[in-house]
Amino acid sequence: MNFMAALNEVASKNLCVLEEQIRESISEDTFIFEACAPLFKGGKRLRPMLFLLCANSKNDFPQKKSMPLAVALELIHTASLVHDDIIDSSKKRRGVETSNSKYGAQIAVLIGDYLFAKAFQLVAENNYGAEVSSTLSKLVKNLCVGEIMQDRSLYEVPTLGEYYTRINLKTAIFLSSCCRLGAIVSEMDKREVENLTAYGTNLGLAFQIIDDLLDFFGDEKITGKPRGGDLKSGVITLPVIRALEVSDEAPTLRKIVTSGKDVDAAIKIIQATDAVDYCRTRAEAHIESARVNLPLTLKTSVALALEQVADFIVDRTR
C-alpha cells in the first residue's frame, strides 16, 4: 500500500505546505540548506501526518497554527536519524549518502544538533504552551535513553521485555507523542488524549517490529538499507530472539549474532523457523490494539485515515 493512499484529504492537502515549510526552516544558510535538504528526500512523513490527522480529529485546526509543530516533528525525526547514522557508521539512508559519510562525524553531529534546535525554536515562537513543550522534551529525552540502552547492549541477546522497552523508547513513544500532541492542540478531553496516545504507542510498536523484519528480509533497492544492517551493528531484534527460542541451530545462531559476522548464515537459520510469522502476528496484535483505542468521537474521515495508516504499517515494504 502506498502511504499517501492512507491519508485523507485533511492531511494530504497539507503535505505540499509541510514540504515548503520544511525547506524554509533550513534555508537560513546556504551550506546548511545544501547539507540538510537531501536528508528530507524520501521518507514517509508519518510523524507529522499523524499529528495533522489528530489535530483535525474533531474540528479543523488552523493550518497556520498546526504547521510549525508538524515541521518540528519531522525535524526532530530527521535529527535523530542523522545521529543514529553517526553511531552506526551508516553510509546510506533512504538510498542517499548520509551526513557522516559525506561531511564527517563532526559536521554531522552539528547538523543533527541544528535540526533539534530549529525544531524547538519553531515550537517556542508559536506559543503552543507548556504541555506541548514538555511532551517534545520528554520525546527527545526518551530517544536518547533508547539509543544509549541499545548502544550499551550491542551483541547481547535481549529478553523480550528488554526488546520491548528499547523499541518503545526509540520508536513507539515518538508516534504516540505525535498523536498526543494532535489531541492536545485540538483540545480533546483527557480520555480521548490518552486513547489517541495508546493508538500511537501500539502503532509504533508494530512499526518497529515490521522494520526489524525488513532489516532481514526486505528488498535493499526498496528499503535503501543493506540487508542485515542491524545484526552487523550488533543490534539484536525480535526475529533473532524468536529464532533463538525455537531453532535447532540456536547455538550456532547465538554465536553469529553475538559476533556480528556471517549475517547471511544467520538469515538462513532465521528463515527456517517461524520467526517471520511470529513477528507479523505480534505486529498485527498491536495494530488491532491501536484500532480498539481510536475514540468514537473522531470525525469519520479522520477515523478512516487512522485505520488505513494502521493497515499501511503492517503491509509496508520500506
Side-chain angles (χ1 to χ4, degrees):
M1 182 189 296
N2 184 294
F3 178 60
M4 288 310 301
L7 302 178
N8 76 337
E9 64 180 65
V10 173
S12 60
K13 69 182 181 182
N14 286 323
L15 185 61
C16 289
V17 178
L18 174 68
E19 297 298 331
E20 289 171 4
Q21 292 199 14
I22 288 173
R23 291 177 66 83
E24 183 179 331
S25 72
I26 57 173
S27 63
E28 59 190 296
D29 176 85
T30 301
F31 173 77
I32 288 173
F33 181 81
E34 290 177 352
C36 292
L39 303 174
F40 295 97
K41 291 181 179 178
K44 293 170 279 292
R45 304 294 186 261
L46 173 60
R47 291 153 186 82
M49 289 295 104
L50 280 174
F51 163 73
L52 290 170
L53 282 169
C54 292
N56 289 280
S57 56
K58 296 186 80 170
N59 302 299
D60 288 345
F61 192 75
Q63 185 188 83
K64 186 175 180 180
K65 183 69 175 175
S66 63
M67 201 55 66
L69 184 47
V71 172
L73 288 166
E74 188 65 18
L75 294 180
I76 290 171
H77 173 54
T78 304
S80 71
L81 297 183
V82 171
H83 285 173
D84 281 353
D85 289 339
I86 298 167
I87 293 167
D88 298 338
S89 300
S90 299
K91 302 299 182 185
K92 283 196 173 183
R93 164 81 65 174
R94 299 170 181 166
V96 176
E97 189 176 12
T98 58
S99 297
N100 51 293
S101 175
K102 191 171 184 178
Y103 301 108
Q106 289 179 315
I107 293 296
V109 167
L110 294 172
I111 289 171
D113 290 349
Y114 170 84
L115 293 172
F116 276 127
K118 189 66 182 183
F120 280 94
Q121 179 187 349
L122 288 171
V123 172
E125 290 175 348
N126 286 276
N127 302 312
Y128 288 105
E131 190 172 8
V132 168
S133 295
S134 177
T135 299
L136 283 175
S137 297
K138 289 176 183 176
L139 164 61
V140 174
K141 178 202 72 175
N142 283 319
L143 289 174
C144 294
V145 172
E147 193 63 49
I148 290 168
M149 286 178 60
Q150 179 174 288
D151 194 59
R152 286 175 60 83
S153 60
L154 295 178
Y155 302 106
E156 296 177 6
V157 179
T159 65
L160 185 62
E162 290 168 342
Y163 169 77
Y164 264 95
T165 296
R166 189 176 73 208
I167 68 170
N168 183 52
L169 289 166
K170 284 177 59 67
T171 304
I173 285 177
F174 206 146
L175 299 195
S176 69
S177 295
C178 293
C179 296
R180 186 178 191 86
L181 289 166
I184 290 170
V185 300
S186 64
E187 299 182 343
M188 300 183 81
D189 65 39
K190 185 175 181 180
R191 184 170 183 176
E192 292 169 324
V193 171
E194 295 307 322
N195 281 348
L196 278 175
T197 301
Y199 164 86
T201 296
N202 280 286
L203 205 70
L205 294 173
F207 184 96
Q208 189 58 55
I209 290 170
I210 295 298
D211 210 53
D212 292 341
L213 273 180
L214 291 174
D215 182 66
F216 285 106
F217 308 117
D219 185 332
E220 293 182 18
K221 294 180 180 177
I222 297 176
T223 64
K225 295 185 289 186
R227 184 177 291 183
D230 284 343
L231 205 55
K232 291 174 184 175
S233 301
V235 179
I236 297 173
T237 56
L238 190 58
V240 177
I241 295 171
R242 176 58 178 175
L244 285 170
E245 289 178 348
V246 300
S247 176
D248 292 336
E249 298 183 78
T252 300
L253 180 60
R254 182 176 292 273
K255 185 176 180 180
I256 293 171
V257 300
T258 54
S259 68
K261 299 176 181 178
D262 205 0
V263 170
D264 289 340
I267 292 174
K268 288 179 181 178
I269 294 172
I270 296 167
Q271 282 178 327
T273 72
D274 68 348
V276 173
D277 289 340
Y278 172 84
C279 291
R280 286 202 170 274
T281 297
R282 277 193 168 269
E284 287 165 1
H286 287 301
I287 290 300
E288 184 57 31
S289 294
R291 289 196 183 95
V292 168
N293 276 288
L294 286 173
L296 297 176
T297 53
L298 298 179
K299 286 192 300 189
T300 301
S301 58
V302 172
L304 178 61
L306 290 174
E307 288 196 11
Q308 290 174 325
V309 170
D311 290 336
F312 161 78
I313 294 298
V314 289
D315 292 337
R316 69 194 181 94
T317 56
R318 60 182 301 169

